[in-house]
Amino acid sequence: MDFKNTVALVTGANRGLGKSFVKALQAAGVKKIYAAARDPASIDLPGVTPLRLDVTKPDQIAAAVRAAGDVTLLINNAGITRGSPLMGEQAIAALRDEFETNVVGPLELTRAFAPVLKEQGGGAVVNVLSVLSWLNLTGAATYSVSKAATWSVTNGLRQELKDQGTAVLGLHVGFMDTDMTAGIDAPKTDPLDVARQVLAALADGKDEVYADDMTRAVKAGLSAELGSYRGGV
């Protein structure tokens, strides 16, 4: 990917990994960045085009397509966690919320922008996944389910968009030093380093990124007789 001619749209760009994606893209010298968030006033980085976008609202997705018809790189970063175990009292409500944002949102946004990407020569889509695409964390079990589903969506989109020349990359990462993990006592990766890894992978034509030691170890253990996914976290 030639970043000098890239026009990027980043969802959830007002904080955490999304904000780091914007910074990494700026450092790479991209042509233009649409920084999307539910409240565009929360975007505080200079040199970007703020965009109102709640990925669970089809009308806002349609408006984003109209406003950003020159996009060549779509980064589906926006996500939520409700912190529910599968047997928790609020599990079904949590799962529905997480699916709408973490699974349906990126799929709808990619479907909406696919014709734009095709018109611009193919471009690329990045979906932010998790090490929990493969493991189930009891304290965030419904979130884990949603990320497993998003991994499947990512793999399906990669196949279906291949003929139009659109690359699809999945990012798997463990704990990052963001607001979402503020209450977790564990080693955390710098989100800016994660964003840089993704851009390097796009430049190299890769379709998956395993951004930290934990993620790489879990990935390596998936094919073991007692697969790493069977023990949970």
Side-chain angles (χ1 to χ4, degrees):
M1 174 166 281
D2 175 12
F3 291 114
K4 301 296 183 185
N5 292 314
T6 292
V7 176
L9 189 157
V10 182
T11 67
N14 57 324
R15 62 178 186 167
L17 180 59
K19 193 171 185 177
S20 293
F21 268 124
V22 172
K23 291 179 180 179
L25 288 163
Q26 288 178 322
V30 300
K31 184 177 179 180
K32 187 176 183 180
I33 301 171
Y34 294 99
R38 283 176 291 183
D39 177 9
S42 65
I43 302 293
D44 60 3
L45 291 171
V48 302
T49 301
L51 199 65
R52 182 182 302 278
L53 180 58
D54 181 335
V55 300
T56 69
K57 297 186 180 302
D59 59 329
Q60 292 190 18
I61 291 176
V65 173
R66 292 192 297 270
D70 52 351
V71 164
T72 61
L73 172 61
L74 172 64
I75 300 181
N76 287 313
N77 165 75
I80 62 169
T81 180
R82 295 294 186 231
S84 175
L86 293 176
M87 298 302 294
E89 184 177 348
Q90 300 300 319
I92 303 304
L95 185 62
R96 285 177 173 148
D97 282 351
E98 288 162 339
F99 254 69
E100 281 298 312
T101 298
N102 300 347
V103 186
V104 179
L107 177 56
E108 283 217 59
L109 202 61
T110 302
R111 285 166 53 89
F113 271 97
V116 173
L117 295 170
K118 181 178 181 180
E119 185 177 341
Q120 299 300 325
V125 176
V126 173
N127 284 345
V128 175
L129 306 173
S130 172
V131 69
L132 299 182
S133 306
W134 307 312
L135 297 178
N136 197 290
L137 182 65
T138 302
T142 55
Y143 174 81
S144 304
V145 172
S146 77
K147 286 301 183 179
T150 312
W151 182 39
S152 182
V153 166
T154 301
N155 293 333
L157 288 172
R158 186 179 300 115
Q159 296 176 48
E160 294 190 27
L161 295 177
K162 182 178 180 180
D163 287 347
Q164 73 169 43
T166 300
V168 178
L169 182 148
L171 164 64
H172 299 271
V173 61
F175 298 122
M176 289 181 289
D177 190 11
T178 66
D179 293 347
M180 188 178 284
T181 64
I184 298 174
D185 183 15
K188 299 174 185 177
T189 307
D190 181 350
L192 187 56
D193 176 66
V194 174
R196 288 169 178 155
Q197 289 186 58
V198 170
L199 297 193
L202 286 171
D204 291 341
K206 296 179 180 178
D207 59 25
E208 281 198 318
V209 171
Y210 317 117
D212 53 36
D213 290 340
M214 179 173 68
T215 301
R216 288 186 283 270
V218 171
K219 174 63 168 59
L222 290 176
S223 60
E225 184 174 355
L226 183 60
S228 53
Y229 59 91
R230 291 173 64 183
V233 177

